[in-house]
Structures are given as structure tokens and as C-alpha cells.
Amino acid sequence: MFRSVHFLSLSAVIGPVVAMLWSLLFNDLVPFLAIIGVIIGAFGVFFFNLLFSITGVDTRSAYYNSSWYGWDTFVQAITLPFNILFTNFDKVIFDKSLTNITIGKVAHSQGIGVFENLMMFLFMGLVNIVMLNLLIALFNLRVSRMANEALGIWRKTYFGMLREYQGLSPWPPPLSFIWFIYDFVRGSCKCRKGRKFVRVTQEKAHWWQDESKYPENYMKFLEFQANQLRRIRPRLLLSNFGSNNQQDELAELTEATGAQLADNYKKLVKERRRTI
């Protein structure tokens, strides 16, 4: 799956979107999950002690003294805030009792009143309204900031792919090991470490965002793209006129423009002779 995303990122249309997606996940979503994880953990422990108070549990029962009680406590404390976050209100409907409390089924009659009338709205106002809208605002800010950088990041990725395939063996397996031996003998280990250090340093410095920091081989790559575009530009212009009639109209427009320029040139020459 990740290999497929890597190949899709080489597209000029999908590549910038993939670059934005990785930035949104690791630069915005991960810190947001760390913050909201603390909030959910705090509210989960509070909700559990509010709904399933120890005063209403039979501490002499075998279930209370078994390991399953601790596991059910952990699961209920974690799932309670998530059910409210994703509006699964059918999972937070409990029966009321003062003495016969069961985790996940029967809650304390006084605690459930405070939970339904106050704490649920407080949690939804803090998490569902404030935190989720904050995440959307962070995503919008990140996308607007990367609108100009995404194209440069895609060019860097595409350039890295070209460099990767440039160093591959021109011979298919199993004869490819000959090329790798030749490539190993040709370059010393010291030069390889130097190139690796320069490459890592350049990537850390975000060299693709500053034209003055472009390496020489990357400038050759951009020059090659510019030459190819300059070579096929007339063909692209003609391709916009698909039918024969449209091509004839383009030829007539070109001829009329040339004739108009010739007439203007003749008038300019005559006026110049008069002044002389």
C-alpha cells in the first residue's frame, strides 16, 4: 500500500496532495492526538468514578476481586469519552441503582444525574466543539502554508526517484551483481559517506525552497524540463485547436497578424523617410 502511494506521489497532480497529507498527519494530527489523549484520559477516569462509584459495588463478590474487574474498569474509562465524542449515545445509557452497580450496565443514581445534566455537555463543548474545530483550523492553516511549498516538495521527490533509477544496474538480474561490484569499486567509501552527509544536510535545510541552494544536478534536471517544454510548446498550442476548421482559423489569424505587422512596418518606414 505504501509503495503504491510512493508511485502515485510521482504524479504532478497527486504528488503535492500526498506531500500535504504527510505533513497534516505528522505535523498537526499527532500533536493534536497527544493533547486530546490527556483530556480523554482525565474525563474518562472522572466519568467512571462518577457513574460506577465504589460505594455501590459489592466488594466481597468474586467479580470484584477477579482480574476481569480491572480490565472492565480500564475499558469503560476509555470508551466512555469516545462514545460521547463520536455521539454514540446509545452506549452511554445506563440503569440507575444505589447498591447494585454493574460496570457498563447499571450506574449510580446520583452520579448519572450529574453526568447527563452537566458533565456530558461540558465534555462535548470542550472536545466536540473547541478541539475538533481547532484541528480543522490547523489543517486549513497547514494547507494554505504548503500551497506554494508542495510543488517544490514534489519536484524533490521526483528528482530523488530519477537519481534512484540512475544508480540502478542497466542489466537485469542475475547479471545485475556485476554492475554493483563495478559501482562499489568505482567509488570509495569515503566519497559515499561524504555524499550521504551532504544529501542529509541539504534535506534538513529544505534546499528545495531556496533557489540559491539548488544542487548542480538538480539544476540540470530543471533545465532538461525547461528544454522539453520549450520544444513541445508549439505542439501544445496546436493541440488546443483540435478540428481542421479550428486549425484553419488559427492559420488565418496568424496570416492576418503577419500582414498587419507588415503594413505597420511599411508605414513606419515611409514616415521615417519623410522626416529625413
Side-chain angles (χ1 to χ4, degrees):
M1 181 184 65
F2 285 105
R3 190 65 174 172
S4 302
V5 173
H6 174 68
F7 280 111
L8 289 176
S9 63
L10 302 178
S11 171
V13 178
I14 305 178
V17 179
V18 175
M20 290 184 183
L21 178 61
W22 283 108
S23 182
L24 290 176
L25 291 177
F26 292 101
N27 295 335
D28 293 324
L29 185 60
V30 172
F32 176 80
L33 291 179
I35 297 174
I36 201 172
V38 176
I39 297 176
I40 288 178
F43 272 94
V45 174
F46 178 75
F47 287 159
F48 178 83
N49 288 278
L50 183 66
L51 296 174
F52 310 106
S53 176
I54 192 67
T55 57
V57 180
D58 186 6
T59 57
R60 296 173 297 177
S61 63
Y63 173 71
Y64 176 79
N65 296 301
S66 64
S67 59
W68 289 106
Y69 180 82
W71 173 251
D72 291 342
T73 301
F74 174 77
V75 172
Q76 192 65 30
I78 295 299
T79 57
L80 262 173
F82 276 105
N83 288 326
I84 302 175
L85 175 63
F86 296 105
T87 63
N88 295 327
F89 297 117
D90 56 332
K91 300 293 184 179
V92 294
I93 298 177
F94 310 108
D95 296 332
K96 301 178 182 180
S97 177
L98 284 175
T99 56
N100 188 19
I101 292 177
T102 304
I103 296 177
K105 296 180 180 179
V106 181
H108 198 278
S109 59
Q110 295 179 354
I112 197 172
V114 178
F115 172 76
E116 293 178 345
N117 298 321
L118 177 62
M119 299 308 303
M120 183 183 295
F121 297 102
L122 180 62
F123 177 82
M124 293 184 65
L126 178 62
V127 177
N128 292 48
I129 298 178
V130 178
M131 297 298 296
L132 293 184
N133 282 280
L134 174 62
L135 179 62
I136 296 173
L138 289 175
F139 283 174
N140 292 331
L141 181 61
R142 178 68 60 179
V143 171
S144 61
R145 286 180 176 178
M146 292 192 62
N148 297 326
E149 300 178 5
L151 183 59
I153 296 174
W154 169 77
R155 286 177 177 174
K156 179 186 73 71
T157 305
Y158 190 75
F159 173 68
M161 185 271 294
L162 294 180
R163 290 295 304 274
E164 177 184 355
Y165 280 90
Q166 185 182 4
L168 293 179
S169 172
W171 300 321
L175 301 178
S176 58
F177 75 95
I178 301 175
W179 170 262
F180 292 116
I181 294 175
Y182 168 73
D183 186 61
F184 177 78
V185 174
R186 184 179 59 178
S188 62
C189 296
K190 183 177 181 180
C191 293
R192 289 178 180 274
K193 291 180 181 179
R195 288 197 300 268
K196 183 178 180 181
F197 176 78
V198 172
R199 190 181 303 114
V200 173
T201 304
Q202 289 174 346
E203 289 180 356
K204 289 183 178 180
H206 300 283
W207 56 266
W208 63 88
Q209 298 179 2
D210 189 358
E211 296 182 0
S212 61
K213 297 180 181 179
Y214 284 174
E216 182 180 358
N217 48 13
Y218 187 66
M219 293 297 297
K220 291 181 180 179
F221 165 68
L222 295 180
E223 183 180 357
F224 170 76
Q225 281 191 333
N227 292 331
Q228 293 296 321
L229 180 61
R230 190 180 298 111
R231 182 176 60 85
I232 65 175
R233 184 179 179 183
R235 192 188 313 165
L236 293 176
L237 293 175
L238 290 175
S239 64
N240 293 330
F241 296 87
S243 61
N244 294 331
N245 295 331
Q246 291 176 337
Q247 292 181 1
D248 294 339
E249 292 177 1
L250 177 62
E252 292 177 0
L253 180 62
T254 304
E255 185 178 358
T257 304
Q260 185 67 31
L261 290 175
D263 293 339
N264 294 336
Y265 178 75
K266 291 179 180 179
K267 293 179 181 179
L268 182 62
V269 171
K270 289 180 180 180
E271 292 179 359
R272 186 177 182 183
R273 288 178 180 177
R274 291 177 183 177
T275 56
I276 295 175

